Amino acid sequence: YLDIHYRWRTENTDYKSGNLRDWIKTHGAAYEAMLILDADSVMDRDTVLALADDMAADPAVGLLQTVPRLLPGRTLWQRLQEFSNHVYGVTLARGFASWAGTEANFLGHNALVRTQAFAACAGLPKLPGRRPMGGVILSHDFVEAALIRRAGWTVRMVTAPAGSFEDTPETTVGYIRRDRRWCQGNMQHLRILFAAGLHPVSRFHLLQGAMAYLASLTWALLLVLWVIVGDASTPSPLRYFTLDNPLLPIWPEMPLLSQAMLAGAILLTLLFPKMIGAIDYIRRNGLGRSQVLPFMASMGLELLASILCAPMMMVQHVRAVLRTFAGFDTGWVPHSNGTPRFADLLRFHAVETGLGLIMIGTIATGLISLWLTPIAVCLVLAAPAARLLATDAKDWRLFRFGQKRVGLPVSGGVARTPKAVP
């Protein structure tokens, strides 16, 4: 028998970090540890017990973070995210856990936290100044992990238990809206980066979180410099293409073969993590002969969706970064669910669509390089792609092999959600 209490705050002060602070002040003294779950989190009994045993055996540990697997969702977007998480994510998490060691990070949920460690040193101050860069720290989890580690407790990522799950937004619109909040919170981390006493690895986590969004701004700037087409008679160190030769870049003292090898190395660098993840997934789970083609088709579709969405996400990240630095507060807006109307998607992706059309026009007139055509086309297709990814997953049978591999029961072609621990 479990004594279950439901708690509702009349004023949601400081959002999620405020919820934790309120619980610790009112109930925390009675418990050695707290299991932090989001509203969409699921964790099975064996995983909870494994975390509890691990924490009991190691009195120095302050936080144990699991690797949440994504639950099978309703839409194609969710199923692609689930496939990527199960096939590539586990390998990435194991690599992360191996080099982070006792200075790992906190995802804010699906984690077991020692109450004493959190209560003594993980209380978050409000940053001075006005929002969005000041006020409540939206991405609180990274900072809480850094403070717990600064106080001498260890923070570890536990990759072995496979019974930790979470949900993901149904559509790209919901995903992007959540990303805007994360972007604002991660930009706030830049103000905490040089706080006294933080472990160097904790500082790296904070910087890495900010770079997840600043990298899109860097990519956009590099594209602008890379695709400029000019007159060959007026050389410039920032010009790689000319009107006479708009396809092959002018790289001084670099023969065509070397250019091709460099381009191949860049492509391999982008695809190598996925290849390693797929190989490791097959090694761990096996793959029957009848599952090879669905697996390869799923990999191809996930890669195609990643390529199609990358320019759209770049523009959205650039907008989020610039909005934050310009002083626009995103707040804590819940992500939307349900199938969006195409007219709403056109409005939501108006910037990407307009930018893509302008790029196609400038490509046609020879003002920018033809190499930018794939990116321009992806931007124009942002709204149709978002609508396609919001379609019902039951119409896509490519991912069924993955449901059985993670122990999720299948009924009628769609996996059911495992029962949560009360």
Side-chain angles (χ1 to χ4, degrees):
Y1 174 77
L2 294 177
D3 193 11
I4 300 175
H5 300 270
Y6 176 79
R7 184 174 52 92
W8 179 71
R9 294 196 298 157
T10 55
E11 294 186 11
N12 192 20
T13 308
D14 296 348
Y15 308 116
K16 186 175 177 179
S17 59
N19 286 335
L20 294 175
R21 184 187 305 114
D22 180 74
W23 183 86
I24 288 174
K25 286 182 176 180
T26 55
H27 299 87
Y31 300 91
E32 293 186 15
M34 54 182 177
L35 184 68
I36 300 179
L37 302 172
D38 272 359
D40 58 2
S41 295
V42 176
M43 191 175 291
D44 66 21
R45 172 182 177 275
D46 292 339
T47 300
V48 175
L49 292 177
L51 292 175
D53 291 342
D54 196 344
M55 182 166 286
D58 185 359
V61 69
L63 190 151
L64 293 173
Q65 175 65 62
T66 65
V67 182
R69 313 286 183 92
L70 290 184
L71 292 167
R74 181 186 65 84
T75 66
L76 174 61
W77 170 254
Q78 289 177 305
R79 299 309 302 272
L80 288 169
Q81 294 288 300
E82 179 209 359
F83 176 85
S84 179
N85 173 265
H86 286 294
V87 176
Y88 314 132
V90 175
T91 303
L92 291 173
R94 288 166 60 193
F96 174 85
S98 65
W99 66 258
T102 56
E103 289 80 40
N105 212 345
F106 179 32
L107 302 181
H109 56 87
N110 291 60
L112 186 66
V113 183
R114 195 179 298 274
T115 309
Q116 177 187 352
F118 197 97
C121 53
L124 297 184
K126 291 187 178 180
L127 297 176
R130 299 177 59 185
R131 300 175 69 170
M133 294 299 288
V136 180
I137 302 174
L138 295 186
S139 294
H140 57 93
D141 37 18
F142 282 40
V143 183
E144 289 160 348
L147 295 177
I148 290 174
R149 187 65 190 93
R150 183 176 70 171
W153 301 92
T154 62
V155 178
R156 292 195 283 112
M157 177 167 281
V158 184
T159 60
S164 177
F165 301 90
E166 66 170 326
D167 210 346
T168 190
E170 290 186 351
T171 64
T172 55
V173 173
Y175 187 90
I176 290 169
R177 285 177 173 169
R178 185 183 67 176
D179 245 13
R180 290 173 179 172
R181 168 169 56 87
W182 285 0
C183 176
Q184 180 175 325
N186 288 12
M187 292 304 103
Q188 290 177 312
H189 292 171
L190 296 175
R191 301 188 60 187
I192 310 170
L193 195 58
F194 299 103
L198 295 184
H199 193 280
V201 177
S202 297
R203 298 187 197 276
F204 178 76
H205 291 320
L206 295 173
L207 178 61
Q208 186 184 40
M211 285 304 300
Y213 298 93
L214 292 175
S216 291
L217 184 60
T218 306
W219 181 28
L221 292 174
L222 287 175
L223 284 176
V224 170
L225 295 176
W226 183 61
V227 300
I228 294 175
V229 175
D231 189 350
S233 62
T234 57
S236 170
L238 298 180
R239 184 172 297 130
Y240 294 96
F241 300 92
T242 67
L243 295 174
D244 298 330
N245 189 10
L247 284 178
L248 296 179
I250 302 174
W251 287 332
E253 301 180 1
M254 181 174 290
L256 182 59
L257 179 60
S258 299
Q259 295 182 26
M261 292 177 62
L262 178 60
I266 295 173
L267 182 62
L268 182 62
T269 302
L270 294 174
L271 297 180
F272 194 66
K274 292 181 181 290
M275 295 167 55
I276 293 296
I279 294 172
D280 183 63
Y281 176 87
I282 295 173
R283 181 188 64 82
R284 287 182 288 108
N285 299 283
L287 203 64
R289 182 175 300 177
S290 62
Q291 296 173 328
V292 173
L293 287 180
F295 183 84
M296 298 301 294
S298 299
M299 281 191 64
L301 183 58
E302 191 278 332
L303 180 61
L304 179 62
S306 298
I307 295 172
L308 190 61
C309 291
M312 173 180 70
M313 292 299 180
M314 175 191 69
V315 173
Q316 289 290 341
H317 284 178
V318 169
R319 291 184 63 191
V321 170
L322 294 181
R323 282 176 55 87
T324 300
F325 287 154
F328 291 93
D329 180 26
T330 299
W332 200 292
V333 180
H335 54 76
S336 59
N337 290 321
T339 303
R341 297 186 307 167
F342 188 69
D344 294 332
L345 290 174
L346 283 175
R347 284 192 292 268
F348 188 83
H349 294 293
V351 174
E352 296 97 296
T353 305
L355 182 59
L357 291 173
I358 292 173
M359 290 169 60
I360 289 177
T362 53
I363 290 171
T365 56
L367 295 177
I368 61 176
S369 170
L370 290 171
W371 284 102
L372 211 59
T373 303
I375 295 178
V377 171
C378 290
L379 290 175
V380 171
L381 295 178
R387 184 64 184 85
L388 175 65
L389 293 170
T391 56
D392 201 314
K394 68 182 180 182
D395 298 328
W396 300 80
R397 303 291 182 178
L398 298 177
F399 308 100
R400 291 189 62 185
F401 71 91
Q403 298 172 11
K404 297 178 181 179
R405 293 297 180 185
V406 296
L408 302 182
V410 177
S411 176
V414 180
R416 300 193 301 270
T417 302
K419 293 182 179 180
V421 175

